Amino acid sequence: MGKRTAVRLITVLALLLVPVAWASISLLTGAVLLGADRLSSLDPETEVLDRTVRSAVLQAGEVCLFLEHHRYDGGLSYLRASSLRSSLSASGWEVREVAPFSPFLEKTGVWVAFRGRERVFVFLIPLKDVGYVSFCQVR
């Protein structure tokens, strides 16, 4: 076994041993959100996020068919947003920015992701010590 093959094997094994809590996978897009945890309907912030996202999407003349939320306990940074965008692209999504995201100003960013006839709104919501990414699939 060559040195490069051994390094690849060790890398793959290390990735397999990484705890699931370090990453979340979007059921709507297939994107990997490194450092995030998926929220369940029992999490206290889910109801507020649902209302907020549904309202914003409704103002755009759309209706959410499915919603999904992920939380970053350390906050939502440009690096995490960039990683998410790369993961969406790797999953076959074309991503367009609708509203710029700024973690320093706690300014929510909005993207629209397209894959074939599928469309998903992606909300990047930065707060002081926590950040959220919400996905809303529309018709």
Side-chain angles (χ1 to χ4, degrees), residues 50 61 82 117:
D50 281 352
S82 177
R117 298 187 73 194

Side-chain angles (χ1 to χ4, degrees), residues 67-117:
L67 278 167
E68 177 180 81
H69 309 289
H70 302 262
R71 176 182 48 231
Y72 287 95
D73 286 329
L76 189 55
S77 65
Y78 286 119
L79 180 60
R80 287 179 167 167
S82 177
S83 172
L84 171 59
R85 190 175 192 133
S86 294
S87 185
L88 284 165
S89 294
S91 297
W93 293 90
E94 177 188 337
V95 180
R96 296 184 189 153
E97 185 177 72
V98 176
F101 155 74
S102 175
F104 303 115
L105 301 175
E106 294 183 16
K107 184 176 176 189
T108 298
V110 181
W111 300 339
V112 179
F114 301 91
R115 182 171 67 185
R117 298 187 73 194

